[in-house]
Amino acid sequence: MTALTARAPERTLGVLGGMGPAATAEFLRLLAADAPAVTDQQHPRLLLLSEPGIPDRTAAILSGDQEPARRVREGLRTLAGWGADLLAVPCNTAHVFLDGFAAASPVPVVDIVDATLDEAARLSPDGGWLAATTGTVLSGLYQRRAAARGYRLLLPDGGTQQAVHGAAERVKAGRAEEAGAAFREAVGGLWRRRRLPVVAACTELPLAYRSAGLPAELMVSSLAALSRACIAELYRSVPVRS
């Protein structure tokens, strides 16, 4: 992230992962890469609860099932009980449920939606394509947050949205090459309409985008945005030296 180094933060980051495991693993890699550290001892302390058993978030949104909300809340409480001072959930669709109770959390939660939109606005003030699970799109979570800040998000049509969601599912299934091919075709269709950056608002989609071999400068990764936001918050009050 920077050539500067810092002492380790005093606060501990709790990560509720497993939604899905590959995205969580990439998030942990990014945290290590983004930290302004050159020794083990300068990295932040992390607590990981990987809970892949949380029910499918899109299916729950479509059916009105609130079980994911209960399980996410339970997972965050567990991490706080373990000693986490800051929380992160590297799953955008989980934030549809988290949005209802994050403000009441006794431990602050770094919001992946705000972090992603912050980076999207910096990269492309003219707007971007929302690439997310069908559950996230139907919830309107990103659209509401973007509208509140005056940022324009374009939505894929029905068939393209299905292809985007399918690419995320293929990453979850460990079929990265197929995910990349599906996502490359979907993004190509979007860019034929308007060449704006893809806002990858599903944590599997940066992995699909990478497998697709598409230009890195035309993608906003929600995983990378969350990692950078967590590192900025953790090291905010830590003296940095050259």
Side-chain angles (χ1 to χ4, degrees):
M1 183 174 74
T2 174
L4 302 179
T5 60
R7 294 198 306 269
E10 294 182 1
R11 289 188 293 172
T12 297
L13 178 65
V15 178
L16 178 59
M19 301 176 282
T24 300
E26 175 66 4
F27 179 62
L28 296 180
R29 185 193 71 78
L30 289 167
L31 285 173
D34 289 336
V38 294
T39 67
D40 294 347
Q41 294 75 23
Q42 293 169 346
H43 282 272
R45 184 170 184 261
L46 305 178
L47 297 172
L48 171 65
L49 174 55
S50 186
E51 184 46 271
I54 294 173
D56 184 279
R57 279 67 63 197
T58 287
I61 290 166
L62 293 175
S63 68
D65 182 11
Q66 288 298 305
E67 180 63 9
R70 186 188 71 80
R71 296 287 295 275
V72 169
R73 188 194 294 260
E74 181 181 84
L76 295 179
R77 285 176 174 167
T78 297
L79 286 163
W82 289 351
D85 306 296
L86 188 68
L87 298 168
V89 183
C91 173
N92 287 273
T93 317
H95 277 70
V96 174
F97 300 95
L98 180 58
D99 197 48
F101 59 82
S105 172
V107 175
V109 180
V110 181
D111 193 290
I112 197 172
V113 180
D114 286 340
T116 302
L117 289 174
D118 284 345
E119 297 214 352
R122 285 194 291 268
L123 176 66
S124 177
D126 292 335
W129 286 103
L130 179 62
T133 65
T134 298
T136 297
V137 173
L138 290 177
S139 77
L141 177 60
Y142 264 85
Q143 298 94 306
R144 289 192 301 274
R145 298 276 191 92
R149 59 172 69 200
Y151 188 72
R152 185 184 184 198
L153 281 178
L154 302 179
L155 303 183
D157 61 25
T160 305
Q161 175 55 43
Q162 289 179 3
V164 169
H165 187 94
E169 289 185 322
R170 287 178 175 88
V171 173
K172 290 178 182 291
R175 293 151 53 191
E177 194 170 312
E178 291 179 30
F183 202 40
R184 182 168 56 250
E185 182 176 351
V187 171
L190 298 178
W191 283 346
R192 282 191 290 274
R193 292 172 57 188
R194 186 163 182 188
R195 197 169 176 82
L196 287 172
V198 173
V199 180
C202 164
T203 51
E204 274 76 32
L205 291 180
L207 301 176
Y209 192 96
R210 185 170 66 197
S211 293
L214 295 168
E217 67 274 12
L218 284 175
M219 190 264 291
V220 178
S221 166
S222 57
L223 269 179
L226 180 62
S227 171
R228 286 189 280 263
C230 287
I231 291 298
E233 182 62 26
L234 286 166
Y235 286 90
R236 183 163 51 87
S237 60
V238 176
V240 177
R241 61 181 183 273
S242 60

